[in-house]
Amino acid sequence: TIRDFFLEQNYPNPFNPSTKISFSIPKAENVKLEIYSITGELIEKIIDQKIKAGSYEYNWNSGNLPSGLYLYKLSTEFHNESKKMVLIK
């Protein structure tokens, strides 16, 4: 049973062109997983829906984005967490 909300560091990091983002949530709830530029611009919404409790893993492909520092943010009603990742092309 998952007891806590947990956002793992992406792997690999630095990456090119794709990376894995893993997280766990302890109960079913509305979840958003979003990618942002370092300036705060929303790049992509990966998840924006209600999901069941559990552990999840998503592969994110940076596509044609330039090298640089990006943020990924996991949000629920009661928890927000973000981490940095580095894209090197």
Side-chain angles (χ1 to χ4, degrees):
T1 304
I2 294 164
R3 296 175 186 260
D4 292 316
F5 181 103
F6 187 71
L7 179 62
E8 294 186 36
Q9 184 64 51
N10 66 299
Y11 182 84
N13 190 31
F15 67 97
N16 177 25
S18 61
T19 188
K20 180 174 67 177
I21 299 171
S22 302
F23 67 90
S24 301
I25 57 170
K27 63 178 186 170
E29 57 187 318
N30 290 317
V31 171
K32 285 185 184 178
L33 178 60
E34 300 166 318
I35 309 292
Y36 289 90
S37 70
I38 197 62
T39 59
E41 176 190 358
L42 177 63
I43 303 291
E44 184 177 344
K45 278 187 182 181
I46 298 174
I47 305 171
D48 187 3
Q49 65 187 34
K50 185 168 187 172
I51 60 175
K52 295 178 183 176
S55 295
Y56 295 86
E57 185 177 287
Y58 288 89
N59 284 312
W60 181 65
N61 191 313
S62 62
N64 295 322
L65 292 171
S67 295
L69 187 61
Y70 293 86
L71 301 173
Y72 57 104
K73 180 180 176 187
L74 186 65
S75 309
T76 66
E77 185 178 355
F78 298 108
H79 193 97
N80 290 299
E81 189 172 350
S82 61
K83 292 191 184 282
K84 296 175 186 172
M85 59 184 172
V86 178
L87 170 60
I88 297 179
K89 292 205 168 176

